[in-house]
Amino acid sequence: MVASSGKTLPFPQMFASSAIAACTAEALTLPLDTAKVRLQLQAGGNKYKGLLGTVLTIAREEGPASLWKGLEPGLHRQCLFGGLRIGLYEPVRNLYVGKDFKGDPPLHLKIAAGLTTGALGISVASPTDLVKVRMQAEGKLPAGTPKKYSSAIAAYGIIAREEGIMGLWKGLGPNIARNAIINAAELASYDQIKQSLLSAGLSDNVGTHLLAGLGAGFFAVCIGSPVDVVKSRIMGDSAGRFAGVLDCFVKTAREEGMLAFYKGFVPNFGRLGSWNVAMFLTLEQVKKLFVPKDE
């Protein structure tokens, strides 16, 4: 994930590149994320069926703009979380391997770096994630019911006032687990797949970035789907149905079966697969803008 010159960019430039890439991917793929959240929050019903069916149902019943519900906090999230988790990955990975290390870092240290930056990034950005899920979930309200959150900025204030400042960090435990795991799966697998493709003789070009991005998205969904379902349900639980992470796991497994933890798997892969492709393709191109022309 180094720049095209072969050198690692300084953190400010890497943070900016990561934030731009993450926000671009968020704007392009948010309708799929909205469909994923609705499917995960659907307990026992059959209103939403499949990725495209859910997208079409939301667009028909609530208007196409509803598919981008939560874009504002989503961009807030990606500026903070995307910039931190991706921008810090290489410095943390290099810290773990040591300054004298030569060659491609081992996979377990790439995973450790991804876990670390994912946990750090979401600890800062968790309120933006909470507001995004709350605003996406509001679309399920009956027609004519007034929306509680008129904007992301208003939502932060409403949640803090009604649930306390720490209410903005509701679901932080599963959110850290989910984002640390998915971040490690995404960044470590992208790093590893890209290096393997380059070692196999492929060029460092868009085709290689696309293949590595798809692989990263697939591994992220396979590994992170259960904690993603629990995270969405706890964050969307304004009625207090779940007492915590364990309670959510137990109730979901007992009432809906273990397959419920992979509810929304196809839209989740559609979302994360396309998100990773868009993000990594953008990231690789934006990083080139920060490389001095004489290098």
Side-chain angles (χ1 to χ4, degrees):
M1 290 175 63
V2 295
S4 58
S5 65
K7 296 182 179 180
T8 300
L9 290 173
F11 174 69
Q13 287 91 323
M14 196 62 202
F15 178 90
S17 299
S18 303
I20 292 169
C23 286
T24 300
E26 185 76 8
L28 290 173
T29 65
L30 188 61
L32 300 179
D33 188 57
T34 299
K36 178 206 75 172
V37 169
R38 295 291 182 86
L39 283 166
Q40 289 177 334
L41 295 178
Q42 180 173 254
N46 58 1
K47 177 181 179 180
Y48 301 120
K49 297 180 180 180
L51 173 61
L52 292 179
T54 302
V55 169
L56 291 174
T57 298
I58 295 170
R60 183 176 63 251
E61 295 184 353
E62 305 165 35
S66 292
L67 291 167
W68 277 269
K69 185 86 171 178
L71 178 60
E72 183 187 358
L75 295 179
H76 295 172
R77 178 185 189 273
Q78 294 305 337
C79 279
L80 280 174
F81 181 53
L84 288 171
R85 75 180 180 96
I86 303 166
L88 285 171
Y89 172 74
E90 286 179 20
V92 171
R93 184 196 64 190
N94 294 342
L95 176 67
Y96 286 166
V97 299
K99 62 180 180 179
D100 297 324
F101 183 86
K102 303 295 183 184
D104 186 36
L107 179 59
H108 71 280
L109 292 181
K110 294 176 181 177
I111 293 172
L115 289 170
T116 301
T117 63
L120 288 173
I122 203 59
S123 294
V124 175
S126 194
T128 64
D129 215 5
L130 176 72
V131 169
K132 177 185 168 187
V133 170
R134 292 280 181 92
M135 293 183 74
Q136 287 175 318
E138 265 199 335
K140 299 194 328 174
L141 295 174
T145 304
K147 305 297 184 185
K148 185 174 184 179
Y149 308 119
S150 60
S151 69
I153 299 301
Y156 295 126
I158 292 170
I159 294 170
R161 185 169 61 252
E162 294 183 352
E163 303 173 39
I165 292 295
M166 294 312 298
L168 289 166
W169 275 267
K170 183 174 184 178
L172 180 61
N175 212 14
I176 287 177
R178 182 258 185 191
N179 284 285
I181 291 169
I182 290 180
N183 190 58
E186 283 180 357
L187 298 186
S189 61
Y190 181 84
D191 201 353
Q192 191 73 19
I193 293 169
K194 179 182 173 183
Q195 289 304 319
S196 297
L197 292 173
L198 295 177
S199 298
L202 273 70
S203 300
D204 190 0
N205 57 22
V206 170
T208 298
H209 304 157
L210 189 151
L211 289 173
L214 277 174
F218 179 75
F219 282 113
V221 177
C222 289
I223 294 169
S225 195
V227 288
D228 190 41
V229 169
V230 171
K231 186 266 301 186
S232 291
R233 291 193 170 191
I234 288 179
M235 286 189 160
D237 181 33
S238 56
R241 180 187 173 204
F242 304 116
V245 177
L246 182 59
D247 184 54
C248 184
F249 266 113
V250 171
K251 285 182 177 176
T252 300
R254 184 175 63 242
E255 296 172 7
E256 303 170 54
M258 295 303 294
L259 287 179
F261 293 113
Y262 284 89
K263 181 173 282 189
F265 181 88
V266 173
N268 204 7
F269 175 63
R271 156 69 166 172
L272 271 181
S274 57
W275 193 96
N276 275 277
V277 168
M279 192 281 289
F280 282 117
L281 286 177
T282 305
L283 178 65
E284 297 281 6
Q285 298 306 310
V286 174
K287 285 194 298 183
K288 295 177 182 179
L289 301 178
F290 291 101
V291 177
K293 300 299 183 182
D294 57 348
E295 290 191 2

